[in-house]
Amino acid sequence: MPGFVGAIKVNSVSSSAVFHVGDAYYIQPISSAKTYAGGGSFNTGNGINVQLGQSETIVFDRDVID
């Protein structure tokens, strides 16, 4: 269903984002990333207590290219 759109202000659009105005049947942003980190790496907040013994991050990629 067509619609009328008023003024639009776009400050920024990242590389994996989609900015679309109007009708669309199918939109698919394509982006991929790999992140390797050890145990307790992405904890956020107040009063976090992480107790790790031996930690190992395996970064072997069998197919090499994604």
Side-chain angles (χ1 to χ4, degrees):
M1 171 185 249
F4 294 100
V5 178
I8 297 174
K9 179 182 179 184
V10 178
N11 292 328
S12 67
V13 176
S14 69
S15 62
S16 62
V18 171
F19 177 77
H20 179 79
V21 177
D23 296 338
Y25 173 73
Y26 186 73
I27 296 177
Q28 180 182 5
I30 298 174
S31 177
S32 63
K34 282 189 177 183
T35 303
Y36 299 108
S41 296
F42 297 112
N43 291 326
T44 59
N46 297 326
I48 298 224
N49 184 8
V50 178
Q51 298 177 3
L52 296 173
Q54 183 176 353
S55 178
E56 181 179 347
T57 301
I58 300 172
V59 296
F60 177 72
D61 187 8
R62 188 172 302 195
D63 61 354
V64 181
I65 298 173
D66 291 329

